[in-house]
Amino acid sequence: MAVDITTDLNKVRNIGIMAHIDAGKTTTTERILFYTGITYKIGEVHEGAATMDWMEQEQERGITITSAATTCWWKNHQINIIDTPGHVDFTAEVERSLRVLDGAVAVFDGVAGVEPQTMTVWRQANKYSVPRMCFVNKLDRTGADFFRCVNMMVERLNSTPLVLQLPIGAEHDFLGVVDLVQMRALTWRGETTMGEDYTIEEIPADLQAQADEYREKLLETLAEADDDIMEKYLEGEDLSVDEIEAAIRRATLADKLNPVLCGTAFKNKGVQPLLDAVVKYLPSPLDIDAIVGHKVNDEDVKVERKPADDQPFSGLAYKIASDPHLGKLIYVRVYSGKLEAGATVLNSVTGRKERIGKVYQMHANKREEIASVGAGQIVAVMGLKDTKTGHTLCDINNPVVLESMSFPAPVIEVA
Ligand code: GDP
């Protein structure tokens, strides 16, 4: 049965995962889907296992993440993972997906560090001031070096990394992380357990000095980005975990710095703290400025649409995909109002009316048919005949053209 999806927008995260090819984007995404499987529907613990089986099947067939937007849940938050292609050839496609996500996780190979495709996508994300976190992956590999990777983020990306974790051990003996916000150690329990798969311990004595040093760096970097923290820092006041986390969130949303976490997706170490950080630090659709479009036939008259259900409907078609069972699916980000199955809307670019067929939310191992969906959400729509990527769909009586994207020529970079 089709359901209505109206969610507390504060609890929605539309995120992309960006990486140079082979850094571990697919593995990280799969681990996220595995871990979030357990909370997919409270009480349906088997969902997690089903996700895993599905992933194995997909891997056998050589297919990776199938959907342009996959919805999952973590600690009462809905996370929509938007697929961002990692190849430079897909620059226009990357730009299109950057346009519809609210925040991103950049995955780095702990051995190779910052690689050319990451530099390209990073620069594109700069253009839209996309709030970003970094996950230094593959710390189990020989030659992995967390600190070198962080330095490369400064040198090659010109970013301001905010180191939130320090690795405990290295390579084969990568055992966990020091959490510099709460000043505690997280050590991994196993590779397949779901739920919170780490044990909280005291910081190991031999890492205490390094933890103190990096905690100080964290506070300094945060103070530079945030006046509240600066004031308290200069006065030598103690900062609570809540205050620090709130400041990290503010600074991340303002695109002033990038929180950095680490782990190994392969061995399933570090993915849950990463999910916690996605929920804590990346924006909800309400944190994003209202989208500004323009009047049909008059680019000079700006029209603003806020992410609220009582606004007229507007949405951007950002990807066309072919589903083996459903046929043509168009992925739409709803910016304002409600998108309803069966409704007639206007494609303000072609000037023609379009009838919305069935509407789906896509999950790792199944899809859910929905009757209507609110602002801030991303769904797959069937039945659109004449709509292409980049087109605006909107309320017939309240037409708007959402700002068109400019696609620069692809930049091919050499390391
Ligand atoms: P993508 O191209 O960024 O999507 O990268 P994949 O997720 O496909 O990973 C590329 C290769 O690296 C695969 O063989 C993975 O099994 C492997 N891999 C991914 N994450 C890790 C990790 O944390 N440690 C190790 N040792 N290998 C990893």
Side-chain angles (χ1 to χ4, degrees), residues 74-282:
W74 181 250
K75 296 186 180 170
N76 283 327
H77 284 70
Q78 182 193 335
I79 303 178
N80 296 322
I81 302 177
I82 294 119
D83 191 34
T84 48
H87 312 268
V88 255
D89 336 356
F90 295 150
T91 299
E93 208 177 328
V94 174
E95 290 241 357
R96 240 177 256 135
S97 50
L98 284 175
R99 190 75 167 68
V100 297
L101 50 79
D102 298 324
V105 175
V107 176
F108 298 85
D109 179 330
V111 180
V114 176
E115 298 172 270
Q117 283 161 15
T118 311
M119 289 163 69
T120 306
V121 186
W122 191 272
R123 190 175 306 154
Q124 288 169 317
N126 280 343
K127 204 171 115 187
Y128 297 111
S129 300
V130 175
R132 269 153 287 172
M133 294 187 343
C134 303
F135 181 65
V136 180
N137 187 34
K138 300 200 182 183
L139 285 191
D140 61 310
R141 281 187 61 200
T142 309
D145 187 336
F146 174 70
F147 299 101
R148 186 183 59 213
C149 191
V150 171
N151 288 337
M152 287 172 89
M153 290 172 195
V154 179
E155 285 159 19
R156 293 200 171 176
L157 301 178
N158 204 14
S159 73
T160 307
L162 183 75
V163 174
L164 299 187
Q165 295 179 337
L166 297 178
I168 303 175
E171 300 177 358
H172 245 47
D173 297 318
F174 172 60
L175 301 176
V177 292
V178 172
D179 166 355
L180 294 166
V181 174
Q182 304 207 38
M183 286 305 265
R184 59 187 191 168
L186 310 178
T187 53
W188 323 120
R189 275 205 289 264
E191 289 180 20
T192 52
T193 333
M194 293 190 287
E196 285 213 319
D197 192 18
Y198 50 78
T199 306
I200 297 169
E201 291 169 17
E202 303 233 316
I203 296 174
D206 59 338
L207 283 182
Q208 189 65 52
Q210 193 189 33
D212 290 340
E213 180 195 334
Y214 273 84
R215 163 82 172 193
E216 203 56 30
K217 280 191 190 171
L218 183 154
L219 293 178
E220 269 172 31
T221 309
L222 205 52
E224 273 160 31
D226 192 274
D227 291 345
D228 279 7
I229 298 291
M230 178 61 96
E231 217 169 283
K232 292 191 169 152
Y233 181 71
L234 290 178
E235 281 166 18
E237 269 183 52
D238 277 344
L239 291 158
S240 70
V241 169
D242 284 351
E243 281 174 315
I244 295 175
E245 287 183 351
I248 296 174
R249 184 175 169 80
R250 284 194 297 272
T252 307
L253 300 198
D255 197 20
K256 287 184 173 170
L257 47 74
N258 307 103
V260 182
L261 290 88
C262 62
T264 150
F266 192 52
K267 300 269 183 196
N268 230 357
K269 297 172 175 175
V271 174
Q272 291 137 318
L274 176 66
L275 282 166
D276 289 342
V278 163
V279 163
K280 277 184 196 158
Y281 305 131
L282 289 184

